[in-house]
Amino acid sequence: DTVATLTERQRECLRLAANGYSNQEIARGLFVSRRVAVYHLSQAYARLGFHGHTSRLRAVIRLLDEESPGWRC
């Protein structure tokens, strides 16, 4: 699947994670519990077919590539 298949909330969580926010900080920023924030992140990673830390990092990079071409240094 592509990033386009993610819900807006999943995309928001991935964006915040990409910017270095912790799960708790993501939860506070979105006015949800930490558990809900983790759920959204997990669903986003699963939808993109990523499991494990390295694969999850790839998911964030993929999101940035699709939304902000040229973001890489």
Side-chain angles (χ1 to χ4, degrees):
D1 288 340
T2 67
V3 174
T5 66
L6 299 177
T7 66
E8 185 56 35
R9 189 59 93 174
Q10 290 168 345
R11 295 166 73 91
E12 287 176 282
C13 287
L14 278 178
R15 271 190 222 103
L16 292 170
N19 284 300
Y21 287 83
S22 69
N23 291 338
Q24 187 62 45
E25 290 168 328
I26 292 169
R28 281 191 205 120
L30 299 177
F31 303 102
V32 298
S33 70
R34 187 188 71 75
R35 189 173 180 178
V36 169
V38 168
Y39 173 79
H40 287 305
L41 284 169
S42 296
Q43 291 299 304
Y45 296 135
R47 188 173 282 186
L48 295 171
F50 295 116
H51 308 283
H53 295 292
T54 302
S55 293
R56 290 175 181 177
L57 183 56
R58 287 186 193 133
V60 171
I61 291 169
R62 195 163 148 187
L63 172 72
L64 291 172
D65 282 344
E66 288 188 20
E67 292 191 345
S68 303
W71 68 272
R72 297 183 194 215
C73 297

